[in-house]
Amino acid sequence: MPDAVHLGSGKVRELYALDDERLLLVASDRISTFDVVLPTAIPDKGRVLTGMSAFWFARTADICANHLLALRPDGRSTECRRLEMLPIECVVRGYLSGSGWKDYRSTGEVSGHRLPAGLRESEQLPEPIFTPATKATSGHDENITRAQAAEVVGAERFAEAERLSIALYRFAAAYARERGIIIADTKFEFGVDRTGRLVLGDEALTPDSSRFWPADQYQVGTSPPSYDKQFVRDYLETLDWDKTPPAPKLPADVIARTSAKYREALVKLTGKNIA
Ligand code: Q0Z
């Protein structure tokens, strides 16, 4: 790509500048689990996540403007409007899992939301909650209170990001639930365009930016299987790997079954397989 300047690498994605106003976001087939990128690629993963994000951007454009300009023919690259990204992660939780469950268990609160007593792991919350987090460049994002997030981005921007995040989550979670997928929580990244408008960026409502659970295996009080990564986790748990890099290679059947799970999620949500 002679006309693209590499701006950065995520664990499983690459970001390039096309010009002053446009970026190219490329989703690789790399997979990470237990916070480590595996040495084995999952065929079609990048195209599945890119197609899923594009699907949600199209379906939610009436809720919120987004950065998507064009999907490239390779299926894994999207041209995006360049934004000034907000320095917070806009997380919405409909269920109590991960760091939300951890914070609730130790304090009864998540990001300053006092929750009812006696909730169990993975339980659905009475209403989805906005639980902003810091963007850690190294290490882990940390949940911050709504007040702290409002200090960082300003009260008006905060209120707008919260309202849009909750509306996006409600729409997507209801849609996915009818198709057998629970979106337990999700992370949005917003930016501001040249005209000052808040715009949804990055990837959205994919299994890499969200917790997807198979609805038919959902059980309160347990940690439900990951829709996409469960075969990988189950395999790695059979080894005595200590979860520090380098990660072990995956066997062919785990690769094939995981690739099929990603495509299955895409078909369930969009009705379309990748080209
Ligand atoms: C996204 C990221 C990746 C590394 C910056 N529309 C936008 N405008 C400005 N910045 C971004 C976007 Cl999407 C932006 N990231 C996340 C993606 C590799 C970091 F592929 N960082």
Side-chain angles (χ1 to χ4, degrees):
M1 273 182 302
D3 295 334
V5 176
H6 189 236
L7 291 183
S9 300
K11 279 204 201 104
V12 302
R13 299 179 303 159
E14 303 295 332
L15 189 63
Y16 300 86
L18 294 171
D19 55 44
D20 286 354
E21 306 199 345
R22 296 179 309 140
L23 299 178
L24 190 70
L25 203 51
V26 184
S28 74
D29 288 343
R30 297 194 297 272
I31 187 171
S32 78
T33 187
F34 306 120
D35 273 324
V36 180
V37 178
L38 305 186
T40 316
I42 301 299
D44 298 332
K45 176 176 178 281
R47 289 195 292 159
V48 165
L49 268 59
T50 297
M52 200 178 288
S53 235
F55 169 80
W56 290 119
F57 283 141
R59 290 299 182 107
T60 61
D62 58 340
I63 299 175
C64 180
N66 63 68
H67 72 163
L68 179 62
L69 296 170
L71 180 59
R72 290 221 166 159
D74 66 6
R76 69 172 68 253
S77 312
T78 51
E79 298 175 10
C80 311
R81 195 173 304 287
R82 202 165 185 165
L83 307 169
E84 198 69 53
M85 301 307 287
L86 300 189
I88 56 167
E89 313 271 16
C90 291
V91 178
V92 181
R93 300 171 187 277
Y95 295 74
L96 207 43
S97 184
S99 69
W101 169 239
K102 204 165 136 252
D103 292 352
Y104 170 74
R105 251 195 330 189
S106 58
T107 68
E109 297 187 1
V110 187
S111 287
H113 297 272
R114 173 137 302 267
L115 297 176
L119 294 174
R120 290 180 292 162
E121 185 175 16
S122 308
E123 191 159 347
Q124 186 171 20
L125 297 170
E127 299 289 337
I129 56 174
F130 186 63
T131 63
T134 58
K135 279 187 193 179
T137 40
S138 63
H140 268 125
D141 295 346
E142 209 176 300
N143 292 334
I144 55 177
T145 64
R146 297 167 65 254
Q148 287 171 317
E151 270 177 49
V152 174
V153 302
E156 273 189 54
R157 280 292 177 217
F158 174 82
E160 198 182 6
E162 176 175 55
R163 176 179 63 80
L164 293 173
S165 296
I166 296 275
L168 289 164
Y169 174 81
R170 281 190 193 280
F171 170 81
Y175 181 96
R177 184 64 190 80
E178 287 176 14
R179 289 156 182 84
I181 294 175
I182 292 173
I183 304 180
D185 51 46
T186 196
K187 175 185 83 183
F188 298 112
E189 303 219 17
F190 290 92
V192 178
D193 72 8
R194 270 190 309 152
T195 71
R197 185 176 57 153
L198 198 59
V199 175
L200 179 60
D202 212 63
E203 65 176 321
L205 298 159
T206 71
D208 274 9
S209 66
S210 319
R211 239 183 220 97
F212 279 22
W213 293 334
D216 62 1
Q217 289 173 69
Y218 172 66
Q219 265 198 66
V220 176
T222 68
S223 176
S226 159
Y227 196 94
D228 48 309
K229 291 178 178 170
Q230 200 58 40
F231 295 133
V232 173
R233 292 188 186 154
D234 289 348
Y235 169 72
L236 292 172
E237 296 285 13
T238 69
L239 310 177
D240 60 24
W241 177 50
D242 64 3
K243 292 166 189 164
T244 67
K249 290 183 191 165
L250 300 176
D253 69 303
V254 173
I255 298 169
R257 291 163 80 200
T258 300
S259 178
K261 289 301 282 185
Y262 282 104
R263 287 190 304 269
E264 179 186 279
L266 183 71
V267 169
K268 280 190 189 239
L269 293 174
T270 71
K272 289 198 184 89
N273 212 327
I274 51 163

